[in-house]
Amino acid sequence: MTDKPRVVASRWATPFENVDSDRLHLLRVTYPSEAFVSYANGPHYDFSEFTEMHDECEIIVFNEEDGTVYRIQSDANTIRIHDEHDLEQVDQWADETGSSTYRLIGSELHRTVSGFMNGDRPSYLLVTGNDCVEFLSLNDPQIEVVGKIEDTRTSFH
């Protein structure tokens, strides 16, 4: 019988780290794109006309509690999106981290080739009510406010 590797959680300070995950919404994830595939002494495929060039990973989220849309940018070279229910440990880390953002060392993503290449850098997790984005990046992600959104429901007072 083999023991599972120990996963260590730590705080990832964000403006929305303590927002209830059901009130945080993942709007878009943009992964760095490629414009071509080329092989040594072989074919070269240029598909730049079909893709928009993005040099960085960009994640857009909406915080329902304060009506703010945020952009998270990073130099992520490994990213995955999965159902947040795949993370059974989330509840046990609640005391050590925020409820919707945290960093991990030793997650399954660290056991990939990209994870190995990143060494002991943490993966960053953003947990919403429906999804979880986990990514590895060389530097700390940058977070900025994109704008505010108000409830546009018609009121019948």
Side-chain angles (χ1 to χ4, degrees), residues 59-101:
I59 300 167
I60 307 292
V61 295
F62 172 60
N63 176 358
E64 191 177 326
E65 288 187 5
D66 68 2
T68 304
V69 176
Y70 294 93
R71 175 184 294 119
I72 304 166
Q73 290 184 290
S74 73
D75 57 0
N77 59 10
T78 304
I79 189 168
R80 70 179 179 171
I81 302 172
H82 47 93
D83 185 307
E84 59 90 10
H85 301 293
D86 292 339
L87 298 173
E88 297 173 8
Q89 304 91 341
V90 169
D91 292 338
Q92 75 186 36
W93 298 326
D95 293 339
E96 302 170 30
T97 66
S99 57
S100 61
T101 63

Side-chain angles (χ1 to χ4, degrees), residues 4-127:
K4 283 188 169 184
R6 183 168 168 7
V7 177
V8 178
S10 62
R11 181 176 180 227
W12 174 25
T14 68
F16 40 84
E17 67 183 299
N18 292 313
V19 171
D20 181 323
S21 61
D22 288 331
R23 309 258 336 227
L24 192 64
H25 306 277
L26 180 62
L27 303 182
R28 182 177 67 218
V29 176
T30 304
Y31 190 72
S33 56
E34 296 184 34
F36 64 89
V37 173
S38 189
Y39 297 93
N41 299 320
H44 175 86
Y45 303 100
D46 183 336
F47 39 84
S48 58
E49 69 178 280
F50 303 107
T51 60
E52 291 182 37
M53 289 306 300
H54 298 282
D55 294 336
E56 292 189 318
C57 172
E58 180 181 80
I59 300 167
I60 307 292
V61 295
F62 172 60
N63 176 358
E64 191 177 326
E65 288 187 5
D66 68 2
T68 304
V69 176
Y70 294 93
R71 175 184 294 119
I72 304 166
Q73 290 184 290
S74 73
D75 57 0
N77 59 10
T78 304
I79 189 168
R80 70 179 179 171
I81 302 172
H82 47 93
D83 185 307
E84 59 90 10
H85 301 293
D86 292 339
L87 298 173
E88 297 173 8
Q89 304 91 341
V90 169
D91 292 338
Q92 75 186 36
W93 298 326
D95 293 339
E96 302 170 30
T97 66
S99 57
S100 61
T101 63
Y102 43 93
R103 297 181 302 184
L104 295 179
I105 298 284
S107 72
E108 287 183 23
L109 197 56
H110 287 94
R111 294 186 286 280
T112 64
V113 173
S114 295
F116 178 76
M117 290 169 45
N118 273 1
D120 61 355
R121 290 180 182 89
S123 63
Y124 295 85
L125 272 79
L126 170 80
V127 179

